[in-house]
Amino acid sequence: MRVHLHDNHYGSQIVGLILIGLLVYTIIPTLIVRLGGLGVYRKGKRPIGIALTFDDGPDPVYTPQLLDILRSHRIQATFFVLGSKAEKYPELISRMHKEGHLIGIHNYMHWTNALLTPKKVRKQLYDTVAVIENIIGVAPIHYRPPWGIINVFDFLLMKQFRLVFWSLMVGDWSCRGGTERINKKLFARLKSNDIILLHDSGQTLGANQNAPLHMLDALKEFVEECMRQGMPFMRIDKRMQMDDQTKFDIDQFGSGKSNVIL
């Protein structure tokens, strides 16, 4: 009986150490960036435009349809792509670039940084950079880690990459509620400085394979309504540039008013 109690105590210590390790390695850092916004861009400072962002692609079925919608409305968006898919479908990456969209990184595979060593995270990034640069001749610097989860060493990546999160997420990876649910969530919380997270692939863990069909239908209605209301759309890098300029003006002139001419 004593041996059994000792084993239970030893097992509890191991579990406790694992939990502490997870807290330090990934849970606390993720909370810092998700709730506090430290070192990440997750919402515009001024209501000057909506940033549409799309994760998990490119997808040979859904991404072309998405690009058609964006082109028909002359909207430039941001795509956080998986390096493995970019390598498989380079023609879609080329089309994104030619049609004026910004291409960012979403790891080479859709693996969470919480379960990767710092070395493996960097390999995911650099392999994806190499794939994209080989296709379009431009090295991407904007990065969104899968599921918005980081580890403590990812703060060091901020010297080289711009981490981009979101301010509005609508759960479009699920088919539940269809198009109506997505649009309801979009319009219920929408502001003209939002960074909206959507998905042009349903092949990742936890997603419904056909979910992008509902996203595309919802997006058509959403875009048309925003345009009727005069809400512009812009790429993440341009949105960030304008916010950086606003900060510069405030620092220079000590005023809350921006001198940027739109």
Side-chain angles (χ1 to χ4, degrees), residues 101-112:
H101 304 294
L102 179 67
I103 301 171
I105 307 161
H106 198 48
N107 278 0
Y108 186 80
M109 303 292 292
H110 202 281
W111 294 339
T112 175

Side-chain angles (χ1 to χ4, degrees), residues 134-197:
N134 186 54
I135 298 169
I136 64 173
V138 179
I141 62 168
H142 297 85
Y143 176 46
R144 176 178 286 162
W147 293 295
I149 297 173
I150 68 167
N151 66 58
V152 68
F153 293 96
D154 289 344
F155 287 112
L156 300 175
L157 297 173
M158 296 176 188
K159 296 178 181 178
Q160 184 176 355
F161 300 96
R162 298 293 302 268
L163 266 66
V164 179
F165 279 41
W166 58 88
S167 60
L168 182 55
M169 177 170 58
V170 297
D172 65 311
W173 57 82
S174 170
C175 288
R176 183 173 52 84
T179 300
E180 184 179 350
R181 179 183 62 86
I182 295 172
N183 260 339
K184 186 176 180 181
K185 287 192 173 184
L186 281 172
F187 285 113
R189 294 173 49 200
L190 177 67
K191 296 179 181 177
S192 57
N193 60 340
D194 270 317
I195 298 173
I196 300 176
L197 167 60

Side-chain angles (χ1 to χ4, degrees), residues 86-102:
E87 201 166 35
K88 193 173 182 180
Y89 307 110
E91 69 283 357
L92 291 176
I93 301 298
S94 293
R95 180 180 170 185
M96 290 174 190
H97 182 64
K98 288 176 182 176
E99 294 182 4
H101 304 294
L102 179 67

